[in-house]
């Protein structure tokens, strides 16, 4: 049984081979993640369409009731007034926020990578662009690395601004610019600013992986900051990590240099598991810091070339 090839790198010009069980794990990870994304997106779509058909007669819950960020926006008003909510928020938003923050403490940014429907739609557009275009689409310009890093900080500015403004004026100031709100109100009267940002995000998704999540999402900023406290992270076992292999870096949609990290604690990580699925040796895995790391089996080939092309 040969080990299937996954690619090459500059230091190793010959194909890097993967163990069969890791190939199966890769397929399983992708299947589970896509199933989760489809399930949650279908749930939200059901409520969006149901409200569009039935109107506001209460037959189906308003889809905005499923937005955890609404709980963060109403938090100050809820605490300072002893239980009052800002407009368009409800107890469900607070409950969902607590659930998402609890999930973040356990599994870092799993909400972003596995649950968020807007993140899923961006993923699908970026991955399915080959159905409509023969070649990979690229931006007509190359963004300087310093500018890309600077833009990563925009979402934290957005988070600070909207929390301050909402606390001051008592209503959701971000709702007029929120692409998620515009998506939930498709077919209804939606804020022009949010609609423009939504369609800009969808178009950019053809060129850039998760543009909204990467540069502007305030909920992603909150989860990323809190996720640093999570013990359960993707960790790299240096003893089984191949020297010169950078497949994990290439697989990461957030463009993180996974190869240089012992644990993926960056707030930009969405816990999509792409780096884990792309690792040819199983050096990357989600684990607690006190658990032993995986050990490489003796005499087991992990590279295929003139001297390592053999069968297990």
């Amino acid at each position: 049984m040969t080990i299937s090839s996954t690619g090459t790198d500059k230091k190793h010009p010959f194909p890097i081979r993967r163990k069969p069980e890791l190939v199966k794990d890769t397929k399983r990870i992708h299947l589970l993640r896509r199933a989760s994304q489809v399930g949650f997106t279908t749930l939200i779509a059901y409520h969006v369409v149901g409200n569009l058909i039935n109107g506001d007669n209460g037959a189906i819950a308003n889809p905005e009731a499923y937005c955890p960020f609404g709980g963060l926006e109403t938090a100050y008003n809820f605490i300072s007034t002893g239980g009052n909510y800002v407009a368009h928020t409800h107890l469900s938003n607070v409950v969902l926020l607590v659930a998402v923050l609890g999930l973040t403490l356990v599994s870092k940014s799993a909400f972003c990578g596995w649950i968020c429907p807007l993140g899923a739609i961006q993923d699908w557009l970026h991955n399915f662009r080959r159905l409509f275009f023969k070649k990979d689409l690229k931006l007509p310009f190359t963004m300087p690395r310093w500018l890309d890093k600077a833009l990563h900080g925009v979402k934290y500015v957005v988070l600070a601004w909207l929390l301050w403004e909402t606390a001051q004026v008592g209503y959701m100031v971000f709702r007029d610019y929120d692409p998620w709100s515009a998506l939930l109100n498709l077919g209804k009267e939606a804020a022009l600013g949010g609609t423009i940002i939504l369609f800009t995000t969808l178009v950019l998704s053809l060129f850039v992986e998760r543009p909204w999540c990467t540069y502007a999402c305030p909920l992603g900023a909150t989860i990323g900051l809190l996720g640093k406290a999570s013990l359960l992270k993707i960790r790299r076992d240096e003893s089984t990590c191949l020297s010169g292999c950078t497949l994990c870096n290439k697989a990461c949609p957030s463009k993180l240099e996974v190869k240089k990290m012992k644990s993926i604690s960056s707030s930009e990580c969405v816990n999509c598991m792409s780096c884990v699925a792309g690792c040819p040796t199983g050096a990357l895995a989600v684990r607690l810091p006190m658990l032993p790391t995986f050990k490489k089996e003796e005499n087991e080939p992990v590279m295929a070339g003139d001297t390592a092309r053999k069968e297990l």
Side-chain angles (χ1 to χ4, degrees), residues 81-204:
T81 62
N84 293 328
Y85 306 94
V86 298
H88 303 288
T89 63
H90 191 265
L91 177 61
S92 63
N93 300 109
V94 177
V95 172
L96 284 172
L97 173 66
V98 173
V100 169
L101 296 183
L103 176 65
T104 301
L105 287 174
V106 174
S107 58
K108 205 173 177 295
S109 304
F111 175 84
C112 300
W114 292 66
I115 296 175
C116 178
L118 184 56
I121 292 171
Q122 292 173 80
D123 277 343
W124 298 337
L125 283 174
H126 192 74
N127 292 331
F128 293 163
R129 67 195 185 281
R130 295 184 183 88
L131 296 177
F132 308 99
F133 303 95
K134 293 182 179 179
K135 297 181 179 180
D136 285 348
L137 294 177
K138 295 183 179 180
L139 289 172
F141 61 91
T142 300
M143 185 181 299
R145 189 167 182 80
W146 65 266
L147 178 59
D148 178 67
K149 287 187 174 182
L151 290 176
H152 275 74
V154 170
K155 55 180 172 287
Y156 302 103
V157 176
V158 172
L159 173 63
W161 165 74
L162 69 90
L163 289 180
W164 172 260
E165 284 296 314
T166 302
Q168 295 299 308
V169 301
Y171 66 87
M172 295 198 301
V173 294
F174 188 59
R175 193 169 186 266
D176 293 339
Y177 310 98
D178 188 359
W180 175 239
S181 177
L183 184 64
L184 296 180
N185 289 285
L186 283 177
K188 298 171 139 183
E189 289 188 14
L192 178 61
T195 302
I196 292 174
I197 293 176
L198 171 63
F199 282 99
T200 300
T201 296
L202 299 181
V203 171
L204 283 177

Side-chain angles (χ1 to χ4, degrees), residues 35-104:
S36 177
Q37 289 179 318
V38 168
F40 284 103
T41 302
T42 301
L43 172 65
I44 296 300
Y46 167 77
H47 285 81
V48 170
V49 175
N51 270 269
L52 187 61
I53 295 174
N54 299 315
D56 299 324
N57 60 9
I60 296 179
N62 191 301
E64 287 189 293
Y66 293 92
C67 178
F69 191 67
L72 190 61
E73 289 179 289
T74 197
Y76 176 81
N77 200 67
F78 181 79
I79 295 172
S80 62
T81 62
N84 293 328
Y85 306 94
V86 298
H88 303 288
T89 63
H90 191 265
L91 177 61
S92 63
N93 300 109
V94 177
V95 172
L96 284 172
L97 173 66
V98 173
V100 169
L101 296 183
L103 176 65
T104 301

Side-chain angles (χ1 to χ4, degrees), residues 253-273:
S254 299
K255 308 304 179 187
L256 299 177
E257 294 188 355
V258 180
K259 177 72 175 181
K260 297 180 179 180
M261 302 177 182
K262 290 185 177 180
S263 66
I264 317 303
S265 58
S266 171
S267 57
E268 303 303 326
C269 173
V270 296
N271 226 39
C272 65
M273 304 289 285

Side-chain angles (χ1 to χ4, degrees), residues 209-229:
E209 291 190 77
R210 289 178 166 250
W212 174 254
C213 308
T214 302
Y215 301 118
C217 179
L219 180 58
T222 305
I223 290 173
L225 291 173
L226 184 63
K228 288 181 174 293

